[in-house]
Amino acid sequence: MMHQASIGLGITIRLLAEGPDVSAAQVVHDVTVGDYAHLDTVLAFAKDCDVITFDHEHVPTAILEAVEAAGVAVRPGPKALVHAQDKAVMRARLTAMDAPCPAHEVVADADALRAFGERTGWPVIAKTSRGGYDGKGVWKIDSPDQADIPFEELARPTSTVDGGTISREGVQIIAEEFIDFRRELSALVVRSPSGQAVAYPISESTQRGGICVETITPAPGLTDDQALEAQHLALRIAQELEVVGLLAVELMQRRDGHVVVNELAMRPHNTGHWTIDGAHTSQFENHLRAVLDLPLGEPGLRAPHVVMTNVLGGSEDDLTGALQHCFARDRELRVHLYGKSVKPGRKVGHVTCLGRDLDQTLRRARHAAGYLMGDPDA
Ligand SMILES: Nc1ncnc2c1ncn2[C@@H]1O[C@H](COP(=O)(O)OP(=O)(O)OP(=O)(O)O)[C@@H](O)[C@H]1O
Ligand SMILES: [Mg+2]
């Protein structure tokens, strides 16, 4: 999707891909297949690039520092990116800048986790400091006898749905106060090296089984003051951490309306996929503009309501066939398929609907995504 945005900007993209079949490698011409955790591979790849950016945050800090030292711009830079890589570093920094966070503590073992729970009350959330994604590496610990679970899991090797492996070296367990949130929100901002920044309208995001399934923008029922509070918080974090490019601040909205930060991502984010069709400038284009220090584009909405629903691998593996039905039924439907083979739970695409009536827009998006997932009754 970043490649799509780069075409109109006249930018040539070179891709370092973990495999020859990954989605981006199917569309980018200049592809190097190699390991992003291997120093010489990344240095050789980066040699003639004007700027390096990312679509995930797993490239080790030391490698990015070496790329910078070799004279290639890395945006966002490793000093900012570490806050999206390491949740312990992120929690410490955000707390120091007085950004609202759950009570938290790095715990060395199950006993320390039990002590944290006794102090703050059960349940508690335990999470890995690094390498988590789609809710893997996050556990709700209901009682003291479950405190061993995260430490046992940490001892096992882990792999991604796309077949990549994630290192567990130096990974810590963080205990967090369980936030009994009303809902999850997402604040997306983009910041350029010269300091210009824009904020997208706040989205409500729904997670199921640790995976984002849907976003609604603007978040229904959010007051102007609450939206401004969330946007200001995200802009402040972007400025303090000197983020370049897109910053996604995942938020939990408490029942009193105030928000606390869940985590940060410094790349185009799933909760911003709606911007491709629903905003004047997509998150992908604004990310590229920021990375190149071009003036940023208007982030505002193109319609009163924008719903994005993820297409997760289900029983339907003939996605193209299902399009017949979806397109015939809804001429305004926007579909984005990622060229991935269908595996249960894997994000293989998303649909976006714009509309004036929220309920109807939700129904259209849910039906289309459901149909593409093999559920014609959705
Ligand atoms: N302190 C908390 N209290 C309550 N729920 C929480 C807390 N921290 C995380 N969660 C829940 O767990 C989900 C996953 O947490 P988090 O975003 O940290 O994990 P992740 O695996 O890095 O996810 P992602 O797919 O966004 O990379 C959150 O979206 C939220 O629903
Ligand atoms: Mg998350």
Side-chain angles (χ1 to χ4, degrees):
M1 290 178 269
M2 233 191 280
H3 172 72
Q4 208 163 21
S6 75
I7 296 171
L9 297 173
I11 300 165
T12 314
I13 293 215
R14 172 182 292 177
L15 175 74
L16 178 60
E18 58 247 63
D21 302 325
V22 300
S23 299
Q26 294 172 31
V27 291
V28 175
H29 291 297
D30 186 355
V31 183
T32 303
V33 174
D35 184 356
Y36 57 76
H38 186 251
L39 177 64
D40 292 338
T41 303
V42 180
L43 278 176
F45 166 80
K47 200 163 66 75
D48 307 317
C49 293
D50 295 310
V51 53
I52 300 287
T53 191
F54 316 93
D55 70 359
H56 66 63
E57 50 268 301
H58 302 306
V59 185
T61 307
I63 292 186
L64 297 178
E65 285 167 351
V67 172
E68 273 193 330
V72 179
V74 177
R75 294 177 174 164
K79 283 195 185 64
L81 194 65
V82 68
H83 301 92
Q85 294 176 318
D86 191 312
K87 290 173 182 171
V89 175
M90 177 271 291
R91 284 280 180 244
R93 179 68 185 268
L94 292 191
T95 306
M97 64 176 271
D98 233 5
C101 286
H104 57 94
E105 187 183 303
V106 173
V107 285
D109 52 29
D111 284 339
L113 180 54
R114 272 188 277 273
F116 180 87
E118 294 306 324
R119 228 174 31 252
T120 60
W122 304 95
V124 298
I125 294 287
K127 45 175 86 167
T128 54
S129 58
R130 284 176 171 268
Y133 73 100
D134 284 353
K136 296 189 174 50
V138 177
W139 299 271
K140 181 164 168 256
I141 308 293
D142 289 309
S143 56
D145 53 304
Q146 294 177 358
D148 294 297
I149 296 171
F151 296 94
E152 286 164 9
E153 288 286 322
L154 200 58
R156 290 191 203 146
T158 181
S159 63
T160 69
V161 217
D162 295 328
T165 49
I166 292 174
S167 161
R168 287 255 158 112
E169 228 179 274
V171 176
Q172 298 173 298
I173 296 289
I174 308 164
E176 283 186 5
E177 163 198 1
F178 175 77
I179 306 290
D180 180 23
F181 55 79
R182 191 163 111 202
R183 57 173 167 178
E184 291 185 76
L185 300 173
S186 172
L188 303 180
V189 296
V190 190
R191 185 178 171 278
S192 61
S194 51
Q196 191 197 356
V198 295
Y200 283 96
I202 302 298
S203 302
E204 173 177 326
S205 83
T206 307
Q207 326 278 321
R208 214 167 289 143
I211 296 178
C212 171
V213 291
E214 186 171 272
T215 66
I216 306 174
T217 316
L222 200 68
T223 65
D224 288 350
D225 284 349
Q226 289 169 338
L228 276 175
E229 177 188 324
Q231 287 176 318
H232 280 149
L233 173 63
L235 287 168
R236 188 158 75 88
I237 294 171
Q239 187 178 3
E240 292 245 354
L241 305 187
E242 297 184 45
V243 177
V244 172
L246 193 115
L247 169 71
V249 183
E250 295 181 9
L251 297 164
M252 298 179 274
Q253 187 182 27
R254 291 186 186 269
R255 301 201 180 265
D256 67 7
H258 291 291
V259 293
V260 293
V261 176
N262 173 35
E263 66 165 340
L264 308 179
M266 292 177 199
R267 53 173 163 81
H269 193 249
N270 195 179
T271 62
H273 285 4
W274 66 270
T275 62
I276 301 174
D277 302 299
H280 286 285
T281 317
S282 81
Q283 61 165 352
F284 299 98
E285 174 164 343
N286 260 340
H287 181 76
L288 288 175
R289 289 204 207 186
V291 156
L292 296 166
D293 209 8
L294 291 168
L296 302 176
E298 165 60 39
L301 290 155
R302 286 175 177 274
H305 303 285
V306 182
V307 175
M308 186 288 305
T309 306
N310 273 327
V311 179
L312 304 177
S315 57
E316 184 65 73
D317 55 8
D318 176 20
L319 292 177
T320 344
L323 287 178
Q324 284 268 15
H325 165 89
C326 293
F327 285 153
R329 182 179 166 119
D330 186 345
R331 286 200 296 182
E332 290 179 28
L333 177 73
R334 307 297 307 159
V335 176
H336 300 262
L337 299 177
Y338 307 157
K340 294 181 174 179
S341 61
V342 174
K343 288 183 197 163
R346 185 184 205 191
K347 288 174 193 158
V348 293
H350 72 268
V351 303
T352 308
C353 289
L354 280 61
R356 301 199 156 274
D357 178 86
L358 178 56
D359 286 336
Q360 197 194 11
T361 312
L362 275 167
R363 272 199 302 277
R364 285 169 50 215
R366 287 174 185 169
H367 175 78
Y371 202 94
L372 288 164
M373 291 187 268
D375 177 10
D377 300 325

